[in-house]
Amino acid sequence: MQDLPDGVVVRPGKGQLDRVSVDTAACTGEVYLHGAHVTAFQPEEQLPLLWVSSKSAFAPGQAIRGGIPICFPWFGPMRTDLDFHQHEKPPQHGVARTSPWRLTDVRRSADAVTLSLSPASHDPFSKWWPGKFAATLAVRFAKTLTVALRIENRGTTPMRCEAALHTYFFVGDVNQVEVHGLEGVEYVDRVRDLQRFKQDNTPIRFDGEFDRTYVNTSSPVTVIDPVYKRKIVNQKVGSNTTVVWNPGRVKAEPVIGLAPDEYKQFVCVETAAATDNFLTINPGETHTLGFEASSETL
Ligand code: TA6
């Protein structure tokens, strides 16, 4: 690994898992090599943008609860209509987030730091998926957060997969939040037996479990948080699916494993290529799925 620029250190973090920490005049941030998992980003003089459960595991083979889990090469339950090998119970959301990644490049320009990471091995993936791929996660910590997952087809046949950046945004009280930008968009409702509906022309509000996959939308999404008096904007690239999720009070502790009332502290707005919008990457081609997230005072 190259010498690290000022403001970037790699040392054991929670669970003794290697963590890259960034600290510049613009922001602070951190990424675990485990799953290339971004777990923190805080712009100077602003609140943290991301949330992580106080009860999250930090252990090999287990997903970190919060931050930005990478869902790849499938999203949600593994599909049977794409190219995956059917084995014993496949893990939810693919294997990227529970696999080891390695830091491949670190760049600093003024107060912005860009980290690049790639899977340490393809073995966890090839157990389930024939894709001959190369993947890089690029994370740019600056006044805003930019995250991009580049997936290249190094094989000789088209490669079909799903991907999502499953971002947990930090909010004051999910029951007081509004999510704008998906008005009129079709969605698959995981709370109503995967039935399809169309979002009406009002912003999303939360009152209990909410789990919708909005399809055929590349629109930016804005989270309005009246408690912290800020808005968070999520601008996407290479993504035609937006997933919005919060487990609600009933499932939060027994099913998702959160601490009491933690469910109120986040809303997931997930930049995805999934469901109707799964990816077909032809030989030699690369698909980039990503977002830029920013927050500003209301
Ligand atoms: O993105 C929404 C979702 O698919 C929900 O259905 C819920 O399962 C959530 O992801 C969390 O999944 P995880 O495997 O991290 O517990």
Side-chain angles (χ1 to χ4, degrees):
M1 187 66 237
Q2 74 207 73
D3 289 343
L4 298 174
D6 288 348
V8 181
V9 297
V10 181
R11 61 166 68 104
K14 293 181 180 172
Q16 295 304 303
L17 298 175
D18 282 341
R19 177 177 64 190
V20 187
S21 298
V22 170
D23 187 349
T24 75
C27 68
T28 57
E30 62 183 37
V31 185
Y32 279 81
L33 299 192
H34 172 64
H37 200 125
V38 180
T39 50
F41 170 66
Q42 182 168 7
E44 186 66 19
E45 296 181 353
Q46 292 190 28
L47 287 167
L49 198 62
L50 306 176
W51 174 87
V52 174
S53 171
S54 63
K55 290 186 67 180
S56 177
F58 284 83
Q62 295 187 61
I64 295 169
R65 175 66 67 201
I68 309 173
I70 300 174
C71 305
F72 173 67
W74 67 87
F75 175 80
M78 185 171 80
R79 298 168 62 148
T80 56
D81 61 340
L82 295 184
D83 310 329
F84 303 117
H85 310 313
Q86 306 301 318
H87 288 295
E88 75 278 1
K89 190 169 174 5
Q92 168 98 330
H93 290 326
V95 293
R97 66 176 179 166
T98 51
S99 297
W101 291 57
R102 55 191 175 81
L103 187 61
T104 57
D105 191 58
V106 183
R107 293 175 192 265
R108 175 165 180 167
S109 169
D111 289 331
V113 170
T114 300
L115 308 176
S116 297
L117 301 97
S118 290
S121 163
H122 284 187
D123 294 350
F125 301 83
S126 51
K127 172 179 175 182
W128 302 95
W129 183 52
K132 301 281 183 288
F133 75 99
T136 301
L137 185 81
V139 186
R140 181 175 184 272
F141 291 113
K143 289 188 184 306
T144 64
L145 174 65
T146 305
V147 182
L149 177 64
R150 296 180 68 254
I151 307 164
E152 180 187 356
N153 184 347
R154 294 266 175 92
T156 56
T157 57
M159 198 163 77
R160 298 188 303 172
C161 61
E162 295 178 309
L165 299 169
H166 193 301
T167 309
Y168 288 71
F169 287 116
F170 178 47
V171 297
D173 178 354
V174 71
N175 297 316
Q176 299 184 51
V177 150
E178 286 184 354
V179 174
H180 295 247
L182 295 167
E183 290 81 0
V185 178
E186 181 184 354
Y187 63 88
V188 178
D189 195 335
R190 289 182 186 273
V191 177
R192 288 185 283 179
D193 301 320
L194 302 182
Q195 294 178 77
R196 287 175 180 248
F197 302 94
K198 192 172 180 183
Q199 181 68 31
D200 60 24
N201 287 319
T202 61
I204 292 166
R205 292 183 181 85
F206 300 87
D207 178 18
E209 183 183 8
F210 189 103
D211 191 351
R212 298 180 182 179
T213 299
Y214 291 85
V215 294
N216 304 319
T217 174
S218 57
S219 301
V221 163
T222 300
V223 177
I224 303 292
D225 178 352
V227 172
Y228 289 148
K229 296 180 175 51
R230 70 171 178 180
K231 66 178 179 178
I232 297 170
V233 180
N234 187 78
Q235 302 252 17
K236 310 193 297 180
V237 293
S239 161
N240 287 323
T241 314
T242 298
V243 181
V244 180
W245 174 65
N246 182 278
R249 183 181 53 76
V250 173
K251 287 190 175 180
E253 295 175 54
V255 177
I256 305 299
L258 304 184
D261 273 352
E262 266 192 339
Y263 76 94
K264 293 181 179 176
Q265 298 171 9
F266 71 90
V267 60
C268 282
V269 176
E270 305 162 34
T271 298
T275 313
D276 302 10
N277 311 117
F278 67 86
L279 297 175
T280 299
I281 306 173
N282 290 317
E285 293 186 354
T286 294
H287 184 89
T288 298
L289 169 86
F291 68 86
E292 180 176 17
S294 57
S295 69
E296 56 185 269
T297 306
L298 280 178

